[in-house]
Amino acid sequence: MSESTSSTVSSDFIRDIVNADIASGKYKIGEIRTRFPPEPNGYLHIGHAKALWIDFGVARDYQGKTLLRMDDTNPVKEDVEYVESIKEDIRWLGFEWDGEVRYASDYFEWMYELAELMIEKGLAYVDDQTAEEIRITRGTLTEPGTESPWRNRSVAENMDLFRRMRAGEFRDGEKVLRAKIDMTHPNMNFRDPVMYRILHAHHHRTGDKWCIYPMYDWAHGLEDSYEGITHSLCTLEFEIHRPLYEWFLEQLPVHRPQQIEFSRLNLTYTVMSKRKLLRLVQEKHVNGWDDPRMPTICGLRRRGYTASSILNFLSGCGVTKFNGITDITLLENSLRDALNKTANRYMGVLDPLKVVLTNYPEGRIEMLEAVNNPEDDSAGTRQLPFGRELYIDRDDFREVPPPKYHRLAPGSEVRLRWGYFIKCEEVIKDASGEIVELRCTYDPATRGGMAPDGRKVKGTIQWVEASNAIDAEVRQYDRLFLKENPDDVEEGKDFLSNLNPSSLTILTGCKVEPALAGLEPEDRFQLERIGYFCADRYDYRSDKPVFNLTVNLKDTWSKIEKAHAPASAKKEPPKAVAEAKPEGVEFIGIEDFGKLQLKVAKVVSAERVEGADKLLKLQVDCGEIRQIVAGVATVYSPDDMVGKLIIMVTNLQPATIRGVESNGMLLAAKRKGELRLLTVDGEIAPGASVG
RNA sequence: UGCCUCAUGGUGUAAUGGUAGCACAACUGAUUCUGGUUCAGUUUGUCUGGGUUCGAGUCCUAGUGAGGCAGCCA
């Protein structure tokens, strides 16, 4: 939106054309007029938002106007329901069209008169062929078509027949009006295109006034012309229609707009065609057009997107004729960007784990101050209740913390955001072994989150005081499709086979801070350390809050954790190569085998890993002393191992197996269920490379 | 074996015959009471072959690859 302030309009190929038209005197600043011409047969999606942004953006840059026109030339597909949603979505995005909404159907009479003119000029004729016959005689991409036997009717006969078509004397499909151009034209659109077909259908605006309806090629240029459009901007698939668009206008005494095509928006992990979106809705793979997983404007809105983040994203995409696929992370990033600056922070836990502070007085509740938005001082602060019983997120505690884990673990200390430092003293489990409660102590000296002795804690986690916590439903959304390109499917399957089965997870029993019961629908906020959410536009109520996950916060930890996971877990898709694999042993694809660094190593010491009957923890000398974990304990005892020269892989990411760090992997072979270690005989120095 | 269009890092997009730049992603590091934010830095590119030119991502030409077109849909 800010580029409008620049005086010279720069930059994309469309504006270049407009600039040239102004430079040549064809149009003056202020005369530029564009239009957004949706067919009211579906909801607007983010692809339309791009068209909107271009249509309105170009006109605005030249102090021109943009009209909104419903392209309602096909009564059997269109409906008023869509007209209203289209208007609402456009307004929500922040665009204001000039004057009243226009309807192509308002120009039907004018178009009809021009059609008679075409007949008079010998440029159109009534064809009695069936749809099937017309299809066959049109030829193919490589073969010319053949002329209709009705092609050379007299002007008088054509006029008579056309008037009778209008009068309703014929049944649907019995006759059409076609332009008389060239049945051998290399551009199929010129092979006598149909201008009018007979449709005895009720039109949502004109009712039963008409039973003949104009076809796109004939109608669209006329609509643009009627409205005085200077630049008719549309997407690439209409490129091949442009010559015909121009041809029709050239035959008539009317204003001639210029059609310019740009590439439509494609996004990874989503579909954009109306047909496919309609299927998703009709077959109930989503809950309606405004399902937060849909790329529709109303879907994005319900998800929590801001109009500005969509517009910003679009401006980052630019305007070109290149038909690519834009990474949806660009959109998500634009969203995070907008929300980071504006969304107030709150605390909530999605998967509550109870924490009891054993040294905190029973029954006492105190209020702590919390900053609402560190990016915006004017957002102020709020008071948070704190007490002896709290909830933290289950994911913020690990009984056996992996390396680099900064959160709570037995004996370790973390900071409760805006609260105190707490230390885990005891883990309480139920009969099945699941952790049900943590007993912790808090340090009264760290009130507000700082230690007077200056000691540091690595992690800060969010929490909610139990007695004041509000129960909430959180709808966690993920991508609707598993593949970047949902249409990438096996023979015989369609895009629905790529649907992500876990694109929606409904979490109930989430605990959030009291302030979140006082929101308005569509209010957006951040749940600290989790993501941005919004109060559902329709289902949120103070006594039953429902929140939609808008987008997660960036998550560096999950990257670290993933990097440390065994290689087999990283492979995607998880190929089913693993037969009963010993825990922690890694699998390497053949394509990666050449990258492995193999070295001879001498086992210095070995011991069993507690709680894992297959694992040995080894200290080996491979030029340096390293610790590795090997799943060989069922075959070899620690004593067997010490002193052995083995072959190991040295250039692997450190992995943590049963809580023990492993910096490498030894080679062993398995045959008929018997495991054998690969050892080296003779005098080879530890650290020597193998192969 | 037709016609139309497109081709710049992983993705999207600038450079209008004159130093290939930006954003996002990725990776390093710093800061941080959000493993968020912010900041600093690094890596990665003109589809191929000819030609014009002092000089080509840009112009010409041939090829390759991708998308679109055979609705009485828009």
Side-chain angles (χ1 to χ4, degrees), chain A residues 9 15 18-19 22 29-32 58-64:
Chain A
V9 175
R15 278 167 247 247
V18 180
N19 283 337
I22 287 170
I29 289 261
E31 288 177 353
I32 301 305
V58 167
R60 177 208 56 204
D61 285 352
Y62 299 91
Q63 293 98 56

Side-chain angles (χ1 to χ4, degrees), chain A residues 301-340:
Chain A
R301 175 178 179 177
R302 194 165 177 193
R303 176 77 172 256
Y305 272 79
T306 64
S308 72
S309 65
I310 293 171
L311 267 15
N312 265 334
F313 160 75
L314 259 9
S315 112
C317 290
V319 185
T320 66
K321 298 182 84 127
F322 178 69
N323 200 330
I325 302 176
T326 302
D327 196 327
I328 195 156
T329 57
L330 253 21
L331 211 211
E332 293 171 345
N333 211 278
S334 166
L335 216 210
R336 287 195 188 94
D337 219 50
L339 262 20
N340 175 50

